Amino acid sequence: MRSRTWWLVRLVAPILLLCLQACAMVGVSRLKPHDVVAESRADVLGSGRLSDSTVQALNVVALTTKQCTQSFDACTEIVGRSGGLDEEQRLSALSELWLGHALHDDHAATMDNATLGAYLQSARYAYAYLFYTQRTPAQRVFDQRQARVIAFYDYAVERVVGRWFQELPRLNTDWSQTSLAGWTVLRPNTDLHLRATPTELIPASALRFKGLRNVYRRDGFGSDFVAVAPPSTPDAPNVPWREPRYAAMTGVLVFGGQTLDEVLATRQVQLLVRDPYRDADVTIAGRSVPLGANFTAPYGLWLARSGFAMQSIRSLLGRQGGLAEPRVLLMQPYDPNRLTVVMLHGLASSPEAWVNVANEVLGDETLRHNYQVWQVYYPTNAPIAVNLRQIRQALDATIRHFDPNGTARATRHMMLVGHSMGGVIARLLVSSSGDKLWSLVPESRELSAAKRARLHRQLAPYLQFSPMPQVDEAVFLSSPHRGTPMARHRLARWVAELIRLPFSVIKDVASISDLLKDDSGQGGTGKGAPIHVSNSVGNLSDTDPFIVATANLPISPQVHYHSIIGLYKPHGTLAQSSDGVVPYASAHLAGAESEVVIPSWHSVQETPAAILELRRILRLHLARVGQKKAPAPVRTSSVTTLDARRWRGPALITSCGAGACANLQCRKLRLTCRKAASSP
């Protein structure tokens, strides 16, 4: 029996030894490439679990994720005083642990003080990691851990600022500091200029837009917000300009203390509120760091809430709820050092016509630093002459308000950009009428001198105008400078019959009709009938007297002007083509510094090619403004045509040189250019 047992032990012992050795061996498996990336980037924000670096830090101090969840205070105390971790490991782990703790409790409609305190702790540890460790942020530029810590900080700041914003109504207007969640909160330091205290503060990270081609951001430090000011009150002054209600804002939390130990011990915090259009960086702990920004979010939110689509139709038809007079809408808070681009939309339209243009143009870093955009929003039922006068008055009043001395860079080299009817108005804003339009008035020879004088005073603002002296560049997109036969189409005439002229126009027309009657009560035509004034649709006809009379008015020699023209279903020569609404012959302007023809429907401003061309013109204008004034250039023209089928980027497919091309053969959108002796 003992012999059998002995042999059994000798047999089993090696097997047990092998099992023990096998259990001690390291196993290995291979992950798929995308799983490797996902695992390396996983953290408490992205996946809801702690990152590998924080888990490893816990392993070093003999802790597990489960233990930290069950006894959070003890866990953070051990991590905070452990000598087994270097300061970067310790601070980044504590930032993520506190953020996870805050996220776990952040489920109520109103954030409680404990959750707010957890977010502040997370932000403080991230702040200490970034600015008070031995290595600088620049030295850790390739560390994935630093990218995660910045994300922890930004999210914590976003949540803290949102909660603080809810507390503002209970504070006095002159408060300097307050106590919240056991922290001393100093009054924010801000350079953001809004016309009123914001009523909303919306994290830009939470917004998603339809209809915008791109979202333009600047990577950097801080959390991005949209600050929303309240709408104007009924008793607000009736001024033609509107300062922006929606402004880009970047928030940064700074904590008290000059050393790492002081920062970790402090309970004092201050919010820096920065305008990212003014500030490209921010100084933290003696270091200049790039400031994050979202430039598209305020613009997109403004458009989404504007109600422009329905209001523009009411304005066209002259119905209640439409626009009564032009407004100059500032897209950013006024900056005297940025050049101003003024955009004018077309018929039955609104600032939505520029939905991607303004966003794409100011998405360019260089242009954003040098330009600001004003959009003119005007009622498109009024005749061109009326809108021309009122828009000029609105722009003049806006310029006087923001630059009363006329010395700011913003108003000395302005650029006009107009589409369709807006382009016609833009051209007239830089043109001289002289006495050429008085022939439009059917004046009777029997009028008394007094009536003639009164008539002249009443009509002069509409028939006599000079170029805006502040403008030295203009761009016209698909603009019917000589009208369009489409305005005589049956459908256009039907729409025109639905349009009601503004009451002010009807009143002026009646007054003018009375003045045109001679002392016997007869009208200038001898029939005593009131004069006829076309509405905006009729005004755009190629046979309308006003459009015919203004077609060849001289443009100011100080203005460099450019044309961007659509080409829809090309056939025959360029001179016989159109964009589906406006003939090329009407949109073409002799003497233009450049002309680009793009395969497009009438809404050419929406095409990427037109936006690229506008960017080119803006850069050209910027270079010109920086140079000494040169003699007036010799007017030359060039025509550039883009092949819609072959175009894949910013390159221009065909350039026709210095002279306009008279014979562009258009077949299947493959366009060729032949030299011609004269322009079309």
Side-chain angles (χ1 to χ4, degrees):
M1 184 69 179
R2 290 179 60 188
S3 176
R4 183 181 301 177
T5 302
W6 171 248
W7 281 105
L8 183 61
V9 170
R10 293 183 63 183
L11 180 65
V12 172
I15 297 175
L16 291 174
L17 182 61
L18 287 173
C19 288
L20 289 172
Q21 289 178 341
C23 292
M25 292 176 63
V26 175
V28 65
S29 62
R30 297 187 64 176
L31 297 176
K32 295 180 180 179
H34 68 274
D35 291 333
V36 173
V37 175
E39 189 167 300
S40 66
R41 296 180 179 178
D43 57 43
V44 73
L45 274 179
S47 64
R49 60 183 177 84
L50 297 176
S51 63
D52 283 345
S53 60
T54 297
V55 171
Q56 290 172 14
L58 294 179
N59 290 338
V60 170
V61 296
L63 290 173
T64 65
T65 301
K66 184 177 181 180
Q67 287 174 315
C68 280
T69 302
Q70 293 175 341
S71 183
F72 181 78
D73 291 341
C75 172
T76 53
E77 183 180 352
I78 292 172
V79 173
R81 59 180 171 80
S82 172
L85 301 172
D86 64 41
E87 61 183 15
E88 290 187 7
Q89 288 178 306
R90 183 172 70 255
L91 296 174
S92 63
L94 286 168
S95 179
E96 186 169 14
L97 287 169
W98 276 104
L99 183 62
H101 188 63
L103 289 170
H104 181 268
D105 296 334
D106 190 7
H107 48 75
T110 302
M111 185 189 304
D112 59 28
N113 284 340
T115 304
L116 174 61
Y119 278 125
L120 282 166
Q121 291 277 29
S122 176
R124 180 177 62 174
Y125 282 116
Y127 179 84
Y129 166 91
L130 292 169
F131 301 111
Y132 288 92
T133 50
Q134 291 185 356
R135 291 199 299 168
T136 65
Q139 292 172 323
R140 290 188 298 249
V141 67
F142 295 111
D143 288 8
Q144 288 190 12
R145 177 164 54 195
Q146 176 164 273
R148 281 196 295 268
V149 172
I150 292 173
F152 300 157
Y153 174 88
D154 288 347
Y155 187 80
V157 171
E158 180 181 297
R159 298 298 294 143
V160 168
V161 173
R163 168 64 195 280
W164 284 1
F165 184 74
Q166 296 173 359
E167 297 291 326
L168 285 179
R170 71 176 182 84
L171 300 175
N172 297 324
T173 56
D174 59 346
W175 71 282
S176 59
Q177 67 179 48
T178 188
S179 179
L180 194 61
W183 287 72
T184 299
V185 180
L186 303 182
R187 187 183 183 91
N189 177 302
T190 180
D191 68 354
L192 183 68
H193 299 291
L194 275 176
R195 58 177 176 78
T197 302
T199 55
E200 289 182 87
L201 198 62
I202 303 171
S205 62
L207 299 175
R208 298 293 181 270
F209 299 103
K210 294 181 180 179
L212 284 171
R213 192 174 292 127
N214 291 308
V215 173
Y216 285 99
R217 298 184 66 256
R218 182 174 65 208
D219 290 334
F221 193 61
S223 295
D224 310 330
F225 296 90
V226 179
V228 185
S232 300
T233 58
D235 58 347
N238 185 23
V239 294
W241 62 87
R242 297 292 185 273
E243 295 185 72
R245 286 187 59 208
Y246 301 84
M249 168 193 146
T250 303
V252 174
L253 287 181
V254 293
F255 295 85
Q258 301 298 320
T259 66
L260 177 60
D261 290 339
E262 289 177 356
V263 171
L264 295 180
T266 190
R267 286 275 175 166
Q268 179 176 289
V269 62
Q270 184 179 32
L271 172 65
L272 305 184
V273 176
R274 291 293 176 260
D275 178 352
Y277 279 97
R278 297 175 181 270
D279 305 310
D281 48 45
V282 62
T283 301
I284 303 290
R287 295 188 180 96
S288 179
V289 295
L291 188 70
N294 188 316
F295 299 102
T296 297
Y299 179 63
L301 188 62
W302 171 65
L303 285 175
R305 293 182 173 184
S306 65
F308 285 141
M310 288 303 300
Q311 190 179 41
S312 62
I313 297 300
R314 295 191 186 102
S315 297
L316 173 65
L317 299 178
R319 300 305 193 266
Q320 187 176 4
L323 195 65
E325 55 191 11
R327 298 174 184 169
V328 180
L329 310 178
L330 279 65
M331 296 295 96
Q332 304 94 29
Y334 173 74
D335 186 340
N337 297 315
R338 277 186 169 87
L339 301 170
T340 303
V341 180
V342 180
M343 296 183 175
L344 299 97
H345 60 78
L347 181 70
S349 191
S350 71
E352 286 186 329
W354 308 110
V355 57
N356 282 299
V357 179
N359 184 48
E360 295 286 335
V361 167
L362 294 182
D364 184 297
E365 186 76 14
T366 300
L367 300 181
R368 182 169 60 244
H369 282 304
N370 286 280
Y371 288 98
Q372 58 194 329
V373 173
W374 296 359
Q375 294 199 24
V376 177
Y377 183 28
Y378 63 98
T380 59
N381 60 332
I384 291 176
V386 174
N387 269 323
L388 174 64
R389 179 197 181 192
Q390 293 183 347
I391 289 172
R392 176 66 179 268
Q393 289 176 328
L395 286 172
D396 287 346
T398 304
I399 292 169
R400 284 195 303 271
H401 173 75
F402 289 104
D403 184 21
N405 297 322
T407 57
R409 184 170 184 256
T411 59
R412 282 184 291 152
H413 299 283
M414 298 176 71
M415 176 187 287
L416 301 180
V417 179
H419 172 249
S420 193
M421 187 168 76
V424 175
I425 294 172
R427 179 177 62 84
L428 296 179
L429 285 171
V430 294
S431 299
S432 300
S433 65
D435 295 327
K436 297 178 180 179
L437 302 184
W438 286 101
S439 60
L440 297 173
V441 182
E443 187 176 333
S444 170
R445 295 181 179 178
E446 305 300 327
L447 289 181
S448 65
K451 277 194 173 183
R452 287 177 186 275
R454 288 170 57 197
L455 182 65
H456 189 278
R457 286 196 301 270
Q458 193 155 348
L459 288 177
Y462 301 103
L463 300 181
Q464 282 191 308
F465 44 84
S466 58
M468 288 185 65
Q470 300 91 348
V471 177
D472 60 10
E473 200 93 17
V475 185
F476 313 118
L477 298 98
S478 292
S479 302
H481 302 294
R482 297 171 186 81
T484 171
M486 286 291 292
R488 294 185 278 112
H489 191 274
R490 181 182 303 174
L491 178 60
R493 295 200 308 270
W494 177 76
V495 172
E497 291 175 358
L498 298 177
I499 294 175
R500 298 174 184 170
L501 288 171
F503 177 74
S504 60
V505 174
I506 296 173
K507 184 178 178 181
D508 284 349
V509 169
S511 176
I512 293 169
S513 296
D514 288 340
L515 287 174
L516 287 172
K517 295 178 181 179
D518 57 31
D519 294 337
S520 65
Q522 296 298 311
T525 60
K527 297 180 180 179
I531 62 172
H532 170 73
V533 175
S534 299
N535 57 38
S536 53
V537 173
N539 229 182
L540 291 175
S541 168
D542 55 352
T543 60
D544 181 79
F546 183 84
I547 207 77
V548 172
T550 58
N552 296 311
L553 292 179
I555 295 175
S556 168
Q558 79 169 24
V559 176
H560 302 263
Y561 58 95
H562 311 260
S563 295
I564 300 176
I565 301 173
L567 186 64
Y568 184 65
K569 295 183 178 179
H571 60 277
T573 65
L574 180 62
Q576 296 172 330
S577 66
S578 78
D579 62 12
V581 175
V582 176
Y584 169 83
S586 180
H588 170 76
L589 283 177
E593 192 165 290
S594 69
E595 180 180 287
V596 173
V597 178
I598 299 170
S600 168
W601 168 251
H602 181 59
S603 299
V604 68
Q605 83 281 3
E606 297 177 358
T607 64
I611 293 171
L612 286 171
E613 174 63 6
L614 186 55
R615 280 182 169 181
R616 182 193 71 82
I617 294 169
L618 284 163
R619 287 179 176 273
L620 181 67
H621 176 242
L622 187 58
R624 185 181 291 127
V625 166
Q627 298 173 357
K628 292 182 180 180
K629 188 174 182 181
V634 177
R635 296 292 188 187
T636 59
S637 298
S638 64
V639 176
T640 304
T641 304
L642 298 186
D643 187 325
R645 186 179 61 182
R646 297 170 58 191
W647 186 75
R648 292 293 183 271
L652 303 182
I653 301 300
T654 307
S655 177
C656 298
C661 184
N663 190 13
L664 281 178
Q665 300 297 331
C666 310
R667 293 183 180 179
K668 297 181 180 179
L669 294 184
R670 181 172 294 175
L671 309 179
T672 60
C673 180
R674 299 178 182 177
K675 293 181 180 178
S678 60
S679 299

